[in-house]
Every structure is written in structure tokens, then in C-alpha cells.
């Protein structure tokens, strides 16, 4: 059957529509593999904290058991004394002393373990923000076709973070130093990458390249997820500030220490997330033809 004028018009329309819709852009395998390794490192850290918390709970149970035993032996010593059995009383007091020493021994490990658990949990919050920023960069890059060099940079950055991830067999002070350094270095590298990706995305949008609207959609999605995460962090910051203010360190040193650690960590996370959001916002502004704006909102 010969093609009619309407058929030809429809064929041209379909071809034009097909040309407007870009083919799916595959994920960069190197980036995905490196990101998976980074997540595995995070899981190891979480497992370490979980095991450490479990050990702390065991220690507290042992302390309670030995304290109870010490009380029982003291009662037995008193009963033996009342019965005139000095030998039995002395034996009971020896057993009580052993229980007291066991309590002291278990108590030596609890404060340092508890402090490390609090600090590590707080540091992991900052690390989660780093992972979020990496995922944002990955998603932005996935929306761009010509991004090989940037993908290589992102992959290299992730691999470096995996290689530099702290060794949990080290003492707490060195562990915290390494974690702090990891977060600072990661922030510096990601800031640079965010700027590079921002410029690349802007050039795609401004040049009106094929599939540029996909880039805009990816930017909007990243902006929304980052804004949501930032809002949650800011709410947490208010919560930890309030908890620190109402906690008396003389009455509950652990609670006060926990509030301070999480406040500091959340404050840093907010700082990191704001940088990420600023980079995304600049992409958004450029895409609609608006120049950079100052922090006060003026052009």
C-alpha cells in the first residue's frame, strides 16, 4: 500500500521525536565499582562500631554481675563472722575482693570504648555526606555523554578514599586523626570535582546539546535530594545544640560528650553539604541564564 501524505508526515514526526530522546547513557563501570568498594568500607566501619557497642554492653553486664557477687560475698562474710567462723569469713572477704577487682578491670575498658564509639559514629555521619556528594556527582555525570576525563577523576577520587580509609586496629587517637584527615582531603577533592562537573554541565546546557534537558532533570533531582539532606542535617544540628545546652557534664558526662561530638560532626556535615548545594545551584542558575549570585541573594 503506497504511503500517503499523512503517513509521511507521521514518519517524519516520529523520526524527529526519536532524535529528541537520547539513548540511555550507561553507567561508568569504574565509578560504580569504586563506589561499591567505598560503601563496603563504610559497612566495615559500621560493623566495627556495632561489635564495639556489643562489647561495651557485655562489659556493663559483667560489671553488674561482679558487683552483685561482691554484695553476696560480703553478706556471707558477715554471716560467717556472726557465727564465729572466722576462716569462712576471711574466705568470703577474699572472694569479695576478687569480684571488686574484676569490676575495676572491666571498668577500665568501658570509658575508652564508649568514647571511641561515639566519635566514630559521629565521623561516619560526615563520611555519609561525602558519599552523598559522590553519588550526586555520579548522577550528574551519568546525564552527560562526553565525560570520560571527569569520570576518571571521580573514579580515582573514590579509589583514593578507599585506600586511605582508616585502619580500625589502631588506637583511638590515631584512628580519629586519620578519619579527620580523610574527611578534609575528601572535601577538598570533591570541591574541585564539583566545580569541574559544574562547568561541564553548564557548557552542555548552554550549548543546547542533544539531551541537555536530561542534564537539567538530573540537576533538579540532585538539587532536591541535596536540599532535603541539608535540611535534615540542620534540624539535627539544632537538636544536638539543645541537648548539649540542657545536659550537665557533672551529672552525665557521657551524654554531654555525645551531644558535643555529634554537634561538631553535624556542623561540619552541614558545611560540606552547603558546598555541594552551592555547586548544584550555580548549575541551575546558569541553565536559566542567571549570573552567579552573592550570598545575600543579589546578582
Amino acid at each position: 500500500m503506497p504511503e500517503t501524505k499523512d503517513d509521511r508526515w507521521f514518519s517524519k514526526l516520529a523520526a524527529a521525536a526519536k532524535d529528541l530522546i537520547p539513548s540511555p547513557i550507561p553507567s561508568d563501570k569504574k565509578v560504580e565499582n569504586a563506589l561499591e568498594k567505598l560503601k563496603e568500607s563504610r559497612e566495615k566501619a559500621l560493623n566495627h562500631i556495632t561489635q564495639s557497642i556489643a562489647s561495651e554492653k557485655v562489659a556493663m553486664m559483667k560489671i553488674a554481675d561482679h558487683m552483685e557477687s561482691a554484695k553476696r560475698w560480703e553478706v556471707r562474710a558477715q554471716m560467717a563472722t556472726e557465727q564465729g567462723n572466722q576462716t569462712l569469713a576471711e574466705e568470703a572477704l577474699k572472694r569479695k575482693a576478687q569480684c571488686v577487682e574484676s569490676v575495676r578491670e572491666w571498668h577500665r575498658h568501658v570509658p575508652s570504648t564508649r568514647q571511641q564509639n561515639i566519635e566514630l559514629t559521629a565521623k561516619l555521619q560526615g563520611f555519609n555526606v561525602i558519599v552523598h556528594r559522590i553519588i550526586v556527582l555520579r548522577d550528574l555525570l551519568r546525564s552527560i555523554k562526553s565525560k570520560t576525563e571527569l569520570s576518571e577523576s571521580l573514579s580515582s577520587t573514590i579509589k583514593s578514599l578507599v585506600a586511605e580509609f582508616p585502619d580500625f586496629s589502631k588506637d583511638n587517637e590515631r584512628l580519629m586523626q586519620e578519619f579527620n584527615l580523610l574527611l578534609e582531603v575528601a572535601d577538598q577533592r570533591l570541591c574541585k570535582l564539583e566545580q569541574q562537573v559544574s562547568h561541564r554541565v553548564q557548557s552542555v546546557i548552554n550549548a543546547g546539546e542533544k539531551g541537555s534537558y536530561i542534564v537539567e532533570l538530573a540537576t533538579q533531582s540532585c538539587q532536591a535530594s541535596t536540599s532535603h539532606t541539608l535540611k535534615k542535617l540542620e534540624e539535627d544540628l539544632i537538636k544536638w545544640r539543645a541537648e548539649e545546652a540542657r545536659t550537665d557534664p557533672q551529672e552525665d558526662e557521657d551524654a554531654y560528650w555525645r551531644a558535643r561530638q555529634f554537634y561538631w560532626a553535624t556542623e561540619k556535615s552541614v558545611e560540606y553539604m552547603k558546598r555541594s548545594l552551592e555547586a548544584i545551584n550555580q548549575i541551575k542558575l546558569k541553565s536559566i541564564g542567571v549570573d552567579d549570585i552573592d550570598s545575600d541573594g543579589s546578582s
Side-chain angles (χ1 to χ4, degrees):
M1 184 176 179
E3 188 177 45
T4 65
K5 184 178 180 181
D6 287 342
D7 290 335
R8 287 195 297 273
W9 176 84
F10 182 78
S11 296
K12 289 180 180 179
L13 181 62
K18 184 178 180 181
D19 189 56
L20 284 172
I21 302 174
S23 57
I25 302 173
S27 301
D28 189 295
K29 294 296 183 184
K30 289 183 179 179
V31 171
E32 293 300 327
N33 291 338
L35 184 56
E36 194 60 35
K37 292 289 184 183
L38 190 64
K39 290 179 178 179
E40 288 176 7
S41 296
R42 180 176 60 181
E43 285 302 312
K44 288 179 181 178
L46 285 171
N47 289 337
H48 175 84
I49 293 173
T50 300
Q51 292 172 6
S52 186
I53 291 174
S55 297
E56 180 188 334
K57 289 180 178 178
V58 169
M60 295 305 295
M61 290 173 61
K62 291 288 186 182
I63 289 170
D65 289 343
H66 286 302
M67 288 179 67
E68 190 63 31
S69 294
K71 290 178 182 178
R72 286 199 300 268
W73 284 114
E74 184 176 8
V75 170
R76 290 171 183 172
Q78 290 174 350
M79 291 174 62
T81 300
E82 291 171 359
Q83 294 170 3
N85 192 336
Q86 195 60 31
T87 302
L88 189 59
E90 290 177 358
E91 181 62 28
L93 288 174
K94 286 181 182 179
R95 298 293 294 273
K96 174 193 171 184
Q98 291 173 356
C99 291
V100 171
E101 182 57 34
S102 295
V103 169
R104 289 173 181 164
E105 186 63 31
W106 281 104
H107 258 305
R108 290 191 188 102
H109 301 290
V110 171
S112 59
T113 302
R114 183 174 295 162
Q115 179 178 331
Q116 178 174 310
N117 291 339
I118 291 172
E119 290 184 359
L120 274 179
T121 304
K123 297 299 179 191
L124 271 182
Q125 176 182 274
F127 187 73
N128 286 336
V129 171
I130 295 297
V131 173
H132 173 91
R133 291 169 69 184
I134 288 173
I135 291 174
V136 165
L137 287 170
R138 179 204 64 183
D139 290 348
L140 287 172
L141 288 175
R142 284 172 67 177
S143 68
I144 308 170
K145 285 192 172 181
S146 53
K147 43 55 181 324
T148 305
E149 183 179 342
L150 290 175
S151 291
E152 287 288 346
S153 296
L154 181 58
S155 174
S156 176
T157 296
I158 300 172
K159 288 178 180 177
S160 296
L161 293 179
V162 173
E164 295 162 7
F165 203 79
D167 179 3
F168 288 92
S169 64
K170 296 180 179 177
D171 63 83
N172 187 53
E173 185 176 353
R174 289 184 63 190
L175 181 59
M176 291 304 108
Q177 289 174 350
E178 289 188 5
F179 230 125
N180 287 332
L181 181 60
L182 176 75
L183 294 177
E184 289 297 330
V185 171
D187 177 57
Q188 292 171 11
R189 291 173 180 168
L190 290 178
C191 278
K192 182 178 179 180
L193 260 174
E194 283 165 349
Q195 290 301 316
Q196 292 173 336
V197 172
S198 173
H199 291 318
R200 181 69 189 100
V201 171
Q202 288 168 16
S203 66
V204 170
I205 294 173
N206 294 339
E209 294 181 18
K210 179 181 176 181
S212 61
Y213 71 94
I214 297 295
V215 177
E216 291 188 56
L217 289 175
T219 304
Q220 290 174 6
S221 175
C222 291
Q223 184 184 45
S225 65
T226 303
S227 296
H228 176 77
T229 304
L230 177 59
K231 182 180 178 181
K232 180 66 171 61
L233 286 170
E234 289 175 333
E235 290 172 353
D236 287 344
L237 191 64
I238 294 172
K239 180 188 74 174
W240 290 119
R241 184 190 291 125
E243 185 164 331
E244 180 185 355
R246 67 170 173 262
T247 304
D248 186 347
Q250 301 299 324
E251 294 181 1
D252 194 340
E253 186 178 356
D254 287 340
Y256 182 75
W257 173 256
R258 182 171 182 269
R260 291 200 72 182
Q261 285 295 315
F262 276 94
Y263 176 76
W264 290 336
T266 306
E267 188 176 41
K268 200 67 177 176
S269 295
V270 167
E271 179 185 331
Y272 290 157
M273 194 59 74
K274 281 184 175 179
R275 290 177 190 168
S276 179
L277 185 60
E278 182 180 359
I280 297 171
N281 285 340
Q282 290 303 321
I283 297 172
K284 187 69 178 173
L285 290 170
K286 289 289 186 181
S287 71
I288 59 176
V290 178
D291 292 331
D292 294 355
I293 58 173
D294 298 327
S295 57
D296 62 358
S298 59
S299 299

